[in-house]
mmCIF file of all heavy atoms in Angstrom:
data_model
loop_
_atom_site.group_PDB
_atom_site.id
_atom_site.type_symbol
_atom_site.label_atom_id
_atom_site.label_comp_id
_atom_site.label_asym_id
_atom_site.label_seq_id
_atom_site.Cartn_x
_atom_site.Cartn_y
_atom_site.Cartn_z
ATOM 1 N N GLN B 13 68.746 -17.348 -30.519
ATOM 2 C CA GLN B 13 68.074 -18.100 -29.477
ATOM 3 C C GLN B 13 68.739 -19.407 -29.124
ATOM 4 O O GLN B 13 69.065 -19.685 -27.983
ATOM 5 C CB GLN B 13 66.630 -18.368 -29.971
ATOM 6 C CG GLN B 13 65.747 -19.112 -29.020
ATOM 7 C CD GLN B 13 65.042 -18.176 -28.079
ATOM 8 O OE1 GLN B 13 65.105 -16.952 -28.224
ATOM 9 N NE2 GLN B 13 64.390 -18.714 -27.067
ATOM 10 N N ARG B 36 67.590 -12.970 -24.398
ATOM 11 C CA ARG B 36 68.243 -12.647 -25.687
ATOM 12 C C ARG B 36 67.323 -11.781 -26.533
ATOM 13 O O ARG B 36 66.091 -11.858 -26.440
ATOM 14 C CB ARG B 36 68.668 -13.907 -26.429
ATOM 15 C CG ARG B 36 67.607 -14.674 -27.127
ATOM 16 C CD ARG B 36 67.883 -14.768 -28.623
ATOM 17 N NE ARG B 36 67.154 -13.748 -29.348
ATOM 18 C CZ ARG B 36 67.645 -13.059 -30.340
ATOM 19 N NH1 ARG B 36 68.883 -13.252 -30.744
ATOM 20 N NH2 ARG B 36 66.910 -12.188 -30.983
ATOM 21 N N ASP B 37 67.914 -10.965 -27.307
ATOM 22 C CA ASP B 37 67.152 -10.105 -28.221
ATOM 23 C C ASP B 37 68.132 -9.502 -29.200
ATOM 24 O O ASP B 37 69.334 -9.617 -29.022
ATOM 25 C CB ASP B 37 66.465 -8.992 -27.420
ATOM 26 C CG ASP B 37 64.966 -8.979 -27.728
ATOM 27 O OD1 ASP B 37 64.633 -9.152 -28.909
ATOM 28 O OD2 ASP B 37 64.196 -8.794 -26.796
ATOM 29 N N GLY B 38 67.605 -8.865 -30.236
ATOM 30 C CA GLY B 38 68.487 -8.161 -31.161
ATOM 31 C C GLY B 38 69.225 -7.067 -30.398
ATOM 32 O O GLY B 38 68.746 -6.596 -29.358
ATOM 33 N N GLN B 41 67.188 -4.050 -29.364
ATOM 34 C CA GLN B 41 66.209 -4.316 -28.308
ATOM 35 C C GLN B 41 66.873 -4.536 -26.971
ATOM 36 O O GLN B 41 66.452 -3.971 -25.967
ATOM 37 C CB GLN B 41 65.367 -5.552 -28.653
ATOM 38 C CG GLN B 41 64.297 -5.314 -29.690
ATOM 39 C CD GLN B 41 64.827 -5.548 -31.077
ATOM 40 O OE1 GLN B 41 66.031 -5.616 -31.319
ATOM 41 N NE2 GLN B 41 63.917 -5.674 -32.042
ATOM 42 N N LYS B 45 66.385 -2.252 -23.727
ATOM 43 C CA LYS B 45 65.936 -2.818 -22.451
ATOM 44 C C LYS B 45 66.881 -2.406 -21.331
ATOM 45 O O LYS B 45 66.476 -1.902 -20.281
ATOM 46 C CB LYS B 45 65.864 -4.336 -22.617
ATOM 47 C CG LYS B 45 65.262 -5.101 -21.460
ATOM 48 C CD LYS B 45 65.196 -6.584 -21.864
ATOM 49 C CE LYS B 45 64.869 -7.496 -20.717
ATOM 50 N NZ LYS B 45 63.439 -7.645 -20.470
ATOM 51 N N GLU B 49 66.232 0.090 -18.135
ATOM 52 C CA GLU B 49 66.461 -0.318 -16.753
ATOM 53 C C GLU B 49 67.380 0.681 -16.066
ATOM 54 O O GLU B 49 67.195 1.031 -14.892
ATOM 55 C CB GLU B 49 67.099 -1.716 -16.720
ATOM 56 C CG GLU B 49 66.160 -2.805 -17.197
ATOM 57 C CD GLU B 49 66.880 -4.145 -17.358
ATOM 58 O OE1 GLU B 49 68.093 -4.215 -17.110
ATOM 59 O OE2 GLU B 49 66.200 -5.118 -17.731
ATOM 60 N N ALA B 52 65.491 3.674 -15.250
ATOM 61 C CA ALA B 52 64.601 3.433 -14.111
ATOM 62 C C ALA B 52 65.407 3.159 -12.840
ATOM 63 O O ALA B 52 64.846 3.046 -11.769
ATOM 64 C CB ALA B 52 63.685 2.256 -14.403
ATOM 65 N N GLN B 56 69.488 -4.833 -14.575
ATOM 66 C CA GLN B 56 69.337 -6.194 -14.137
ATOM 67 C C GLN B 56 70.539 -7.091 -14.417
ATOM 68 O O GLN B 56 70.883 -7.942 -13.623
ATOM 69 C CB GLN B 56 68.118 -6.812 -14.819
ATOM 70 C CG GLN B 56 66.842 -6.039 -14.610
ATOM 71 C CD GLN B 56 66.272 -6.244 -13.245
ATOM 72 O OE1 GLN B 56 66.040 -7.358 -12.807
ATOM 73 N NE2 GLN B 56 66.058 -5.142 -12.521
ATOM 74 N N GLN B 133 71.922 -4.851 -57.508
ATOM 75 C CA GLN B 133 71.750 -6.222 -57.005
ATOM 76 C C GLN B 133 72.394 -6.442 -55.644
ATOM 77 O O GLN B 133 72.561 -7.589 -55.237
ATOM 78 C CB GLN B 133 72.362 -7.207 -58.015
ATOM 79 C CG GLN B 133 71.708 -7.208 -59.375
ATOM 80 C CD GLN B 133 70.276 -7.669 -59.302
ATOM 81 O OE1 GLN B 133 69.859 -8.264 -58.324
ATOM 82 N NE2 GLN B 133 69.510 -7.353 -60.325
ATOM 83 N N LEU B 140 73.133 2.145 -39.799
ATOM 84 C CA LEU B 140 72.265 2.952 -38.936
ATOM 85 C C LEU B 140 71.362 2.063 -38.079
ATOM 86 O O LEU B 140 70.855 2.492 -37.061
ATOM 87 C CB LEU B 140 71.391 3.895 -39.784
ATOM 88 C CG LEU B 140 72.154 4.820 -40.734
ATOM 89 C CD1 LEU B 140 71.220 5.661 -41.539
ATOM 90 C CD2 LEU B 140 73.141 5.684 -39.962
ATOM 91 N N THR B 141 71.130 0.862 -38.527
ATOM 92 C CA THR B 141 70.278 -0.066 -37.780
ATOM 93 C C THR B 141 71.064 -1.108 -37.000
ATOM 94 O O THR B 141 70.610 -1.604 -36.013
ATOM 95 C CB THR B 141 69.358 -0.809 -38.779
ATOM 96 O OG1 THR B 141 68.789 0.135 -39.661
ATOM 97 C CG2 THR B 141 68.235 -1.526 -38.045
ATOM 98 N N GLN B 172 71.614 -1.377 -51.750
ATOM 99 C CA GLN B 172 70.517 -1.028 -50.870
ATOM 100 C C GLN B 172 70.906 -1.395 -49.443
ATOM 101 O O GLN B 172 71.252 -2.536 -49.158
ATOM 102 C CB GLN B 172 69.297 -1.787 -51.328
ATOM 103 C CG GLN B 172 68.124 -1.811 -50.366
ATOM 104 C CD GLN B 172 67.130 -2.874 -50.769
ATOM 105 O OE1 GLN B 172 66.564 -2.813 -51.864
ATOM 106 N NE2 GLN B 172 66.945 -3.843 -49.902
ATOM 107 N N ALA B 174 69.771 -1.687 -45.621
ATOM 108 C CA ALA B 174 68.608 -1.681 -44.736
ATOM 109 C C ALA B 174 68.654 -2.865 -43.778
ATOM 110 O O ALA B 174 69.153 -3.937 -44.126
ATOM 111 C CB ALA B 174 67.326 -1.705 -45.526
ATOM 112 N N GLY B 178 69.772 -10.830 -41.103
ATOM 113 C CA GLY B 178 68.722 -11.786 -41.443
ATOM 114 C C GLY B 178 68.011 -11.414 -42.728
ATOM 115 O O GLY B 178 67.777 -12.247 -43.605
ATOM 116 N N THR B 182 67.647 -13.392 -46.419
ATOM 117 C CA THR B 182 66.364 -13.636 -47.044
ATOM 118 C C THR B 182 66.354 -13.070 -48.465
ATOM 119 O O THR B 182 65.910 -13.721 -49.415
ATOM 120 C CB THR B 182 65.234 -13.002 -46.219
ATOM 121 O OG1 THR B 182 65.430 -13.354 -44.865
ATOM 122 C CG2 THR B 182 63.896 -13.489 -46.690
ATOM 123 N N SER B 185 68.913 -15.213 -50.690
ATOM 124 C CA SER B 185 68.502 -16.591 -50.974
ATOM 125 C C SER B 185 67.158 -16.615 -51.683
ATOM 126 O O SER B 185 66.885 -17.501 -52.475
ATOM 127 C CB SER B 185 68.468 -17.439 -49.686
ATOM 128 O OG SER B 185 67.675 -16.818 -48.709
ATOM 129 N N GLY B 186 66.322 -15.598 -51.449
ATOM 130 C CA GLY B 186 65.059 -15.497 -52.154
ATOM 131 C C GLY B 186 65.254 -15.009 -53.583
ATOM 132 O O GLY B 186 64.298 -14.985 -54.354
ATOM 133 N N GLY B 187 66.446 -14.543 -53.910
ATOM 134 C CA GLY B 187 66.721 -14.138 -55.289
ATOM 135 C C GLY B 187 66.328 -12.707 -55.616
ATOM 136 O O GLY B 187 66.413 -12.281 -56.763
ATOM 137 N N GLU B 188 65.887 -11.959 -54.590
ATOM 138 C CA GLU B 188 65.534 -10.581 -54.910
ATOM 139 C C GLU B 188 66.779 -9.743 -55.167
ATOM 140 O O GLU B 188 66.759 -8.784 -55.912
ATOM 141 C CB GLU B 188 64.716 -9.977 -53.771
ATOM 142 C CG GLU B 188 63.266 -10.337 -53.867
ATOM 143 C CD GLU B 188 62.598 -10.291 -52.513
ATOM 144 O OE1 GLU B 188 62.977 -9.419 -51.735
ATOM 145 O OE2 GLU B 188 61.725 -11.128 -52.263
ATOM 146 N N ARG B 201 75.856 -21.702 -43.087
ATOM 147 C CA ARG B 201 74.940 -22.672 -42.485
ATOM 148 C C ARG B 201 73.812 -23.022 -43.446
ATOM 149 O O ARG B 201 73.459 -24.167 -43.658
ATOM 150 C CB ARG B 201 74.385 -22.078 -41.185
ATOM 151 C CG ARG B 201 73.565 -23.021 -40.343
ATOM 152 C CD ARG B 201 73.004 -22.266 -39.158
ATOM 153 N NE ARG B 201 72.190 -21.130 -39.640
ATOM 154 C CZ ARG B 201 71.860 -20.081 -38.883
ATOM 155 N NH1 ARG B 201 72.263 -19.985 -37.650
ATOM 156 N NH2 ARG B 201 71.134 -19.105 -39.394
ATOM 157 N N GLU B 202 73.254 -21.968 -44.071
ATOM 158 C CA GLU B 202 72.118 -22.201 -44.960
ATOM 159 C C GLU B 202 72.524 -22.922 -46.237
ATOM 160 O O GLU B 202 71.776 -23.737 -46.763
ATOM 161 C CB GLU B 202 71.422 -20.879 -45.296
ATOM 162 C CG GLU B 202 70.719 -20.215 -44.099
ATOM 163 C CD GLU B 202 69.646 -21.092 -43.478
ATOM 164 O OE1 GLU B 202 68.609 -21.298 -44.126
ATOM 165 O OE2 GLU B 202 69.874 -21.605 -42.338
ATOM 166 N N LYS B 205 72.464 -26.429 -45.851
ATOM 167 C CA LYS B 205 71.128 -27.021 -45.940
ATOM 168 C C LYS B 205 70.576 -27.046 -47.347
ATOM 169 O O LYS B 205 69.495 -27.566 -47.584
ATOM 170 C CB LYS B 205 70.164 -26.221 -45.060
ATOM 171 C CG LYS B 205 70.395 -26.362 -43.578
ATOM 172 C CD LYS B 205 69.192 -25.785 -42.830
ATOM 173 C CE LYS B 205 69.590 -25.012 -41.615
ATOM 174 N NZ LYS B 205 68.525 -24.108 -41.180
ATOM 175 N N GLY B 206 71.302 -26.410 -48.259
ATOM 176 C CA GLY B 206 70.855 -26.454 -49.661
ATOM 177 C C GLY B 206 70.357 -25.130 -50.199
ATOM 178 O O GLY B 206 69.914 -25.065 -51.341
ATOM 179 N N GLN B 304 69.855 8.645 -46.528
ATOM 180 C CA GLN B 304 68.899 8.200 -45.524
ATOM 181 C C GLN B 304 68.735 9.210 -44.419
ATOM 182 O O GLN B 304 69.653 9.944 -44.118
ATOM 183 C CB GLN B 304 69.335 6.866 -44.934
ATOM 184 C CG GLN B 304 69.174 5.762 -45.950
ATOM 185 C CD GLN B 304 69.433 4.379 -45.368
ATOM 186 O OE1 GLN B 304 69.732 4.246 -44.196
ATOM 187 N NE2 GLN B 304 69.337 3.395 -46.225
ATOM 188 N N PRO C 119 61.234 -13.496 -56.724
ATOM 189 C CA PRO C 119 61.841 -14.407 -57.715
ATOM 190 C C PRO C 119 61.795 -15.865 -57.271
ATOM 191 O O PRO C 119 61.801 -16.760 -58.106
ATOM 192 C CB PRO C 119 63.287 -13.918 -57.799
ATOM 193 C CG PRO C 119 63.256 -12.525 -57.291
ATOM 194 C CD PRO C 119 62.155 -12.439 -56.307
ATOM 195 N N SER C 120 61.757 -16.121 -55.954
ATOM 196 C CA SER C 120 61.777 -17.518 -55.520
ATOM 197 C C SER C 120 60.370 -18.065 -55.327
ATOM 198 O O SER C 120 60.186 -19.122 -54.757
ATOM 199 C CB SER C 120 62.550 -17.626 -54.199
ATOM 200 O OG SER C 120 61.850 -16.971 -53.176
ATOM 201 N N GLY C 134 67.118 -11.339 -59.040
ATOM 202 C CA GLY C 134 67.681 -9.990 -59.113
ATOM 203 C C GLY C 134 66.626 -8.932 -59.389
ATOM 204 O O GLY C 134 66.914 -7.771 -59.426
ATOM 205 N N ASN C 137 61.540 -6.832 -55.428
ATOM 206 C CA ASN C 137 60.196 -7.271 -55.100
ATOM 207 C C ASN C 137 59.186 -6.133 -55.318
ATOM 208 O O ASN C 137 59.395 -5.020 -54.844
ATOM 209 C CB ASN C 137 60.143 -7.728 -53.657
ATOM 210 C CG ASN C 137 58.954 -8.595 -53.403
ATOM 211 O OD1 ASN C 137 57.835 -8.153 -53.521
ATOM 212 N ND2 ASN C 137 59.215 -9.865 -53.092
ATOM 213 N N MET C 222 61.852 -0.356 -45.186
ATOM 214 C CA MET C 222 63.252 -0.059 -44.930
ATOM 215 C C MET C 222 64.177 -0.459 -46.087
ATOM 216 O O MET C 222 65.067 0.320 -46.453
ATOM 217 C CB MET C 222 63.684 -0.683 -43.597
ATOM 218 C CG MET C 222 63.179 0.138 -42.428
ATOM 219 S SD MET C 222 63.308 -0.706 -40.850
ATOM 220 C CE MET C 222 65.023 -0.561 -40.486
ATOM 221 N N PRO C 223 63.982 -1.636 -46.701
ATOM 222 C CA PRO C 223 64.871 -1.977 -47.813
ATOM 223 C C PRO C 223 64.756 -0.995 -48.958
ATOM 224 O O PRO C 223 65.689 -0.844 -49.732
ATOM 225 C CB PRO C 223 64.385 -3.368 -48.250
ATOM 226 C CG PRO C 223 63.684 -3.909 -47.065
ATOM 227 C CD PRO C 223 63.085 -2.735 -46.365
ATOM 228 N N ASN C 225 64.288 2.121 -48.491
ATOM 229 C CA ASN C 225 64.586 3.423 -47.944
ATOM 230 C C ASN C 225 63.325 4.262 -47.705
ATOM 231 O O ASN C 225 63.294 5.471 -47.843
ATOM 232 C CB ASN C 225 65.511 4.171 -48.926
ATOM 233 C CG ASN C 225 66.400 5.128 -48.185
ATOM 234 O OD1 ASN C 225 66.310 5.255 -46.947
ATOM 235 N ND2 ASN C 225 67.260 5.817 -48.917
ATOM 236 N N GLN C 235 65.127 2.351 -36.002
ATOM 237 C CA GLN C 235 66.501 2.655 -36.408
ATOM 238 C C GLN C 235 67.203 3.474 -35.326
ATOM 239 O O GLN C 235 68.370 3.283 -35.050
ATOM 240 C CB GLN C 235 66.466 3.410 -37.714
ATOM 241 C CG GLN C 235 67.820 3.469 -38.347
ATOM 242 C CD GLN C 235 67.824 4.252 -39.638
ATOM 243 O OE1 GLN C 235 67.487 5.423 -39.630
ATOM 244 N NE2 GLN C 235 68.117 3.596 -40.720
ATOM 245 N N ALA C 238 68.727 1.587 -32.641
ATOM 246 C CA ALA C 238 69.964 0.911 -32.966
ATOM 247 C C ALA C 238 71.150 1.804 -32.660
ATOM 248 O O ALA C 238 72.254 1.320 -32.437
ATOM 249 C CB ALA C 238 69.948 0.519 -34.437
ATOM 250 N N PRO C 320 64.390 -27.115 -46.725
ATOM 251 C CA PRO C 320 65.411 -27.040 -45.673
ATOM 252 C C PRO C 320 65.916 -25.622 -45.423
ATOM 253 O O PRO C 320 66.278 -25.297 -44.322
ATOM 254 C CB PRO C 320 66.525 -27.944 -46.208
ATOM 255 C CG PRO C 320 66.228 -28.149 -47.648
ATOM 256 C CD PRO C 320 64.773 -27.970 -47.851
ATOM 257 N N ALA C 321 65.935 -24.817 -46.439
ATOM 258 C CA ALA C 321 66.400 -23.450 -46.237
ATOM 259 C C ALA C 321 65.663 -22.521 -47.188
ATOM 260 O O ALA C 321 65.255 -22.934 -48.263
ATOM 261 C CB ALA C 321 67.898 -23.337 -46.479
ATOM 262 N N TYR C 322 65.530 -21.280 -46.749
ATOM 263 C CA TYR C 322 64.830 -20.323 -47.586
ATOM 264 C C TYR C 322 65.543 -20.179 -48.919
ATOM 265 O O TYR C 322 66.775 -20.097 -48.972
ATOM 266 C CB TYR C 322 64.805 -18.971 -46.871
ATOM 267 C CG TYR C 322 63.993 -17.926 -47.562
ATOM 268 C CD1 TYR C 322 62.596 -18.004 -47.564
ATOM 269 C CD2 TYR C 322 64.597 -16.855 -48.195
ATOM 270 C CE1 TYR C 322 61.851 -17.046 -48.199
ATOM 271 C CE2 TYR C 322 63.850 -15.877 -48.820
ATOM 272 C CZ TYR C 322 62.477 -15.978 -48.827
ATOM 273 O OH TYR C 322 61.730 -15.025 -49.449
ATOM 274 N N GLY C 323 64.764 -20.160 -49.994
ATOM 275 C CA GLY C 323 65.368 -20.014 -51.305
ATOM 276 C C GLY C 323 65.477 -21.334 -52.038
ATOM 277 O O GLY C 323 65.628 -21.364 -53.245
ATOM 278 N N VAL C 324 65.394 -22.439 -51.314
ATOM 279 C CA VAL C 324 65.422 -23.743 -51.970
ATOM 280 C C VAL C 324 64.072 -23.997 -52.601
ATOM 281 O O VAL C 324 63.042 -23.740 -52.000
ATOM 282 C CB VAL C 324 65.741 -24.858 -50.940
ATOM 283 C CG1 VAL C 324 65.736 -26.220 -51.612
ATOM 284 C CG2 VAL C 324 67.056 -24.566 -50.258
ATOM 285 N N ARG C 411 60.889 -0.541 -10.938
ATOM 286 C CA ARG C 411 61.005 -0.327 -9.507
ATOM 287 C C ARG C 411 59.804 -0.932 -8.804
ATOM 288 O O ARG C 411 58.677 -0.812 -9.297
ATOM 289 C CB ARG C 411 61.034 1.175 -9.214
ATOM 290 C CG ARG C 411 62.265 1.869 -9.727
ATOM 291 C CD ARG C 411 63.508 1.223 -9.111
ATOM 292 N NE ARG C 411 64.657 2.119 -9.196
ATOM 293 C CZ ARG C 411 64.919 3.072 -8.317
ATOM 294 N NH1 ARG C 411 64.124 3.305 -7.320
ATOM 295 N NH2 ARG C 411 65.994 3.822 -8.463
ATOM 296 N N TYR C 420 58.578 -6.443 -13.018
ATOM 297 C CA TYR C 420 59.620 -6.747 -13.980
ATOM 298 C C TYR C 420 60.106 -8.191 -13.804
ATOM 299 O O TYR C 420 60.140 -8.708 -12.707
ATOM 300 C CB TYR C 420 60.765 -5.763 -13.782
ATOM 301 C CG TYR C 420 61.633 -5.617 -15.004
ATOM 302 C CD1 TYR C 420 61.069 -5.222 -16.207
ATOM 303 C CD2 TYR C 420 62.988 -5.895 -14.961
ATOM 304 C CE1 TYR C 420 61.852 -5.112 -17.337
ATOM 305 C CE2 TYR C 420 63.777 -5.777 -16.081
ATOM 306 C CZ TYR C 420 63.211 -5.384 -17.273
ATOM 307 O OH TYR C 420 63.979 -5.278 -18.386
ATOM 308 N N ASN C 421 60.468 -8.760 -14.924
ATOM 309 C CA ASN C 421 60.931 -10.147 -14.908
ATOM 310 C C ASN C 421 59.836 -11.144 -14.540
ATOM 311 O O ASN C 421 60.103 -12.283 -14.215
ATOM 312 C CB ASN C 421 62.118 -10.325 -13.955
ATOM 313 C CG ASN C 421 63.376 -9.825 -14.596
ATOM 314 O OD1 ASN C 421 63.476 -9.792 -15.814
ATOM 315 N ND2 ASN C 421 64.321 -9.430 -13.771
ATOM 316 N N ALA C 499 59.090 -8.234 -26.872
ATOM 317 C CA ALA C 499 60.522 -8.333 -27.159
ATOM 318 C C ALA C 499 61.369 -7.750 -26.031
ATOM 319 O O ALA C 499 62.408 -8.306 -25.700
ATOM 320 C CB ALA C 499 60.843 -7.618 -28.479
ATOM 321 N N LEU C 500 60.904 -6.662 -25.437
ATOM 322 C CA LEU C 500 61.686 -6.054 -24.342
ATOM 323 C C LEU C 500 61.248 -6.544 -22.983
ATOM 324 O O LEU C 500 61.922 -6.329 -22.008
ATOM 325 C CB LEU C 500 61.559 -4.536 -24.365
ATOM 326 C CG LEU C 500 62.163 -3.768 -25.512
ATOM 327 C CD1 LEU C 500 62.432 -2.355 -25.090
ATOM 328 C CD2 LEU C 500 63.405 -4.417 -26.000
ATOM 329 N N TRP C 502 59.988 -9.741 -22.086
ATOM 330 C CA TRP C 502 60.002 -11.133 -21.692
ATOM 331 C C TRP C 502 61.200 -11.412 -20.789
ATOM 332 O O TRP C 502 62.186 -10.685 -20.789
ATOM 333 C CB TRP C 502 60.031 -12.048 -22.914
ATOM 334 C CG TRP C 502 61.320 -12.078 -23.669
ATOM 335 C CD1 TRP C 502 61.809 -11.104 -24.460
ATOM 336 C CD2 TRP C 502 62.288 -13.122 -23.675
ATOM 337 N NE1 TRP C 502 63.009 -11.459 -24.982
ATOM 338 C CE2 TRP C 502 63.338 -12.702 -24.511
ATOM 339 C CE3 TRP C 502 62.365 -14.388 -23.069
ATOM 340 C CZ2 TRP C 502 64.454 -13.500 -24.772
ATOM 341 C CZ3 TRP C 502 63.480 -15.169 -23.308
ATOM 342 C CH2 TRP C 502 64.513 -14.710 -24.150
ATOM 343 N N PHE C 514 60.715 -13.534 -33.863
ATOM 344 C CA PHE C 514 61.626 -12.450 -34.141
ATOM 345 C C PHE C 514 63.075 -12.936 -34.186
ATOM 346 O O PHE C 514 63.836 -12.580 -35.072
ATOM 347 C CB PHE C 514 61.469 -11.376 -33.056
ATOM 348 C CG PHE C 514 62.243 -10.142 -33.383
ATOM 349 C CD1 PHE C 514 61.689 -9.148 -34.150
ATOM 350 C CD2 PHE C 514 63.540 -9.980 -32.931
ATOM 351 C CE1 PHE C 514 62.401 -8.021 -34.474
ATOM 352 C CE2 PHE C 514 64.266 -8.847 -33.244
ATOM 353 C CZ PHE C 514 63.689 -7.878 -34.026
ATOM 354 N N SER C 515 63.388 -13.812 -33.232
ATOM 355 C CA SER C 515 64.749 -14.259 -33.172
ATOM 356 C C SER C 515 65.091 -15.103 -34.394
ATOM 357 O O SER C 515 66.184 -15.008 -34.950
ATOM 358 C CB SER C 515 64.979 -15.015 -31.863
ATOM 359 O OG SER C 515 65.410 -16.309 -32.116
ATOM 360 N N GLU C 518 65.484 -12.764 -37.329
ATOM 361 C CA GLU C 518 66.687 -11.998 -37.220
ATOM 362 C C GLU C 518 67.898 -12.834 -37.648
ATOM 363 O O GLU C 518 68.848 -12.351 -38.236
ATOM 364 C CB GLU C 518 66.851 -11.559 -35.778
ATOM 365 C CG GLU C 518 67.761 -10.390 -35.627
ATOM 366 C CD GLU C 518 68.077 -10.185 -34.166
ATOM 367 O OE1 GLU C 518 68.017 -11.178 -33.409
ATOM 368 O OE2 GLU C 518 68.390 -9.078 -33.795
ATOM 369 N N ALA C 519 67.791 -14.134 -37.338
ATOM 370 C CA ALA C 519 68.890 -14.999 -37.700
ATOM 371 C C ALA C 519 68.788 -15.473 -39.153
ATOM 372 O O ALA C 519 69.546 -16.305 -39.607
ATOM 373 C CB ALA C 519 68.921 -16.200 -36.772
ATOM 374 N N LEU C 521 66.523 -17.264 -40.386
ATOM 375 C CA LEU C 521 65.978 -18.631 -40.475
ATOM 376 C C LEU C 521 64.496 -18.560 -40.897
ATOM 377 O O LEU C 521 63.598 -18.988 -40.170
ATOM 378 C CB LEU C 521 66.124 -19.349 -39.142
ATOM 379 C CG LEU C 521 67.576 -19.527 -38.696
ATOM 380 C CD1 LEU C 521 67.655 -20.070 -37.280
ATOM 381 C CD2 LEU C 521 68.294 -20.453 -39.677
#
Side-chain angles (χ1 to χ4, degrees):
Chain B
Q13 182 87 7
R36 76 120 263 140
D37 234 320
Q41 284 89 345
K45 187 175 168 86
E49 292 172 359
Q56 306 283 306
Q133 297 296 344
L140 304 179
T141 313
Q172 167 194 299
T182 313
S185 54
E188 278 155 35
R201 188 185 57 198
E202 293 300 291
K205 290 193 219 161
Q304 290 187 0
Chain C
S120 67
N137 199 296
M222 283 166 77
N225 210 359
Q235 193 182 60
Y322 185 72
V324 179
R411 293 302 200 84
Y420 202 58
N421 282 335
L500 292 204
W502 72 286
F514 188 87
S515 122
E518 201 191 25
L521 298 172

